Amino acid sequence: MISRRGFLRLVGGSFFSMVSLGAYAVGIEPMLLTHVTRYSLTPPNWPAGLRLRIVALADIHACRPWMTPERIASLVRDANALQPDLIVLLGDYTASMRLVTDGVPASEWAQALSGLKAPLGVLSILGNHDWWSDPEAQKAGAGPVVARRALEHVGIPVLENDVVRLEKDGHGFWIAGLADQLAFLPSQDHDGFKGLDDLDGTLAKASDGAPVILLAHEPDIFPKVPRRVSLTLCGHTHGGQVRLFGYSPVVPSRFGNRFAYGHVVEENRNLIVSGGLGFSILPVRFGMRPEILSIELGPA
């Protein structure tokens, strides 16, 4: 039988462990040096002579003290140092979290992102928080949202149900950007969230047989993505922000852990979901460090 003194030591030790764990999850892991997560794959029907390096940043959620313009500028330097052919931004630049000391105006985070450089350029899409944080767009039921205007002001194109054809080493390929699937909050006009995404219409704009890389903020679109798409890149989930032994207790997806994080292959189709850089709801990360993706496509 455990003694009274032993019981008190156990309780005290457990309490200290819980406090320490909470302090780490809130104050340390979210601010750790950003991890570079690397993937290397050759999708089906990928051109043999096309070797492409894509660097992806997702879910910045600019705010103070967690994601300041200075920290974003540091992430930009880290991304450029990876020497990508192309940089893509996967949405959610704004923060809707209440536990912040101050917001970061769109002009400031966009200016920090303007330092991104790659030979084939920088392309972006929007996320749900970029729409939700714009009351005028919510009221009007249409954009452009503040985030889009800020990105375009610093020269970063925003793809909303649109495509861009790029070329490297004599091989063409398409980048398709999907409009957000949760753009409008529930209102008197409609129940539930309302999206602006048009997958079929977007892919129809890729007018030849060159490979397609799809940018979509939320990964829930993936079951509908046809095999023509070589790779789908998403953010939104933050890897659940808390992830233990490959499992995230809470994932903002109707598919739960199926598309929570990482490289998913289904029916010979490829999806990569970023764990993101910032956070929403709570400033907590545990087992899911902020990350930048570096993706090598094509044979080594």
Side-chain angles (χ1 to χ4, degrees):
M1 178 179 293
I2 189 170
S3 66
R4 182 175 181 272
R5 178 175 294 181
F7 175 75
L8 291 174
R9 285 178 177 173
L10 177 62
V11 171
S14 299
F15 177 76
F16 178 77
S17 297
M18 291 175 63
V19 171
S20 298
L21 188 64
Y24 173 83
V26 174
I28 298 177
E29 183 156 326
M31 303 302 289
L32 285 173
L33 291 176
T34 303
H35 178 64
V36 177
T37 303
R38 302 177 188 270
Y39 297 95
S40 181
L41 62 148
T42 303
N45 303 316
W46 189 259
L50 178 55
R51 184 71 174 172
L52 184 68
R53 179 181 297 168
I54 300 175
V55 164
L57 287 76
D59 301 287
I60 289 171
H61 290 292
C63 64
R64 293 181 173 88
W66 311 109
M67 190 62 72
T68 64
E70 293 76 18
R71 188 177 179 201
I72 297 171
S74 176
L75 295 171
V76 165
R77 292 191 291 271
D78 292 341
N80 289 342
L82 295 171
Q83 299 182 315
D85 298 305
L86 172 70
I87 297 175
V88 297
L89 304 174
L90 300 177
D92 272 6
Y93 313 95
T94 62
S96 301
M97 187 175 59
R98 294 183 179 181
L99 297 177
V100 301
T101 59
D102 196 8
V104 174
S107 59
E108 293 186 21
W109 57 252
Q111 185 60 45
L113 289 173
S114 70
L116 292 166
K117 305 295 179 185
L120 297 180
V122 182
L123 297 172
S124 69
I125 59 173
L126 301 176
N128 56 305
H129 286 277
D130 303 317
W131 280 90
W132 295 356
S133 62
D134 190 327
E136 293 301 320
Q138 290 292 312
K139 182 178 179 181
V145 296
V146 170
R148 174 166 185 158
R149 294 198 298 268
L151 287 164
E152 291 178 338
H153 182 73
V154 297
I156 298 177
V158 179
L159 302 179
E160 291 188 276
N161 296 331
D162 209 350
V163 300
V164 171
R165 195 178 193 279
L166 301 174
E167 186 170 310
K168 185 190 177 201
D169 298 332
H171 296 280
F173 63 96
W174 296 91
I175 301 295
L178 204 61
D180 191 68
Q181 302 158 57
L182 302 170
F184 296 109
L185 294 161
S187 70
Q188 295 179 349
D189 297 329
H190 57 85
D191 295 328
F193 297 97
K194 181 182 177 182
L196 291 169
D197 53 299
D198 179 3
L199 179 62
D200 292 341
T202 301
L203 295 180
K205 296 178 181 180
S207 56
D208 61 24
V212 177
I213 298 168
L214 175 66
L215 313 180
H217 182 66
E218 296 90 357
D220 284 18
I221 195 69
F222 186 60
K224 299 179 181 179
V225 174
R227 292 187 180 182
R228 182 198 173 179
V229 174
S230 298
L231 174 65
T232 302
L233 296 177
C234 298
H236 182 63
T237 65
H238 306 189
Q241 290 188 190
V242 175
R243 190 167 179 84
L244 299 171
F245 308 109
Y247 176 79
S248 301
V250 179
V251 181
S253 164
R254 68 178 184 273
F255 295 102
N257 272 265
R258 181 177 168 186
F259 305 134
Y261 175 68
H263 185 195
V264 178
V265 181
E266 290 188 358
E267 300 176 356
N268 216 21
R269 299 169 304 128
N270 287 273
L271 165 71
I272 295 177
V273 182
S274 171
L277 292 158
F279 31 55
S280 61
I281 302 178
L282 291 173
V284 171
R285 277 185 179 263
F286 187 79
M288 181 50 58
R289 284 176 57 178
E291 71 174 11
I292 294 174
L293 301 185
S294 180
I295 304 160
E296 300 276 354
L297 294 176

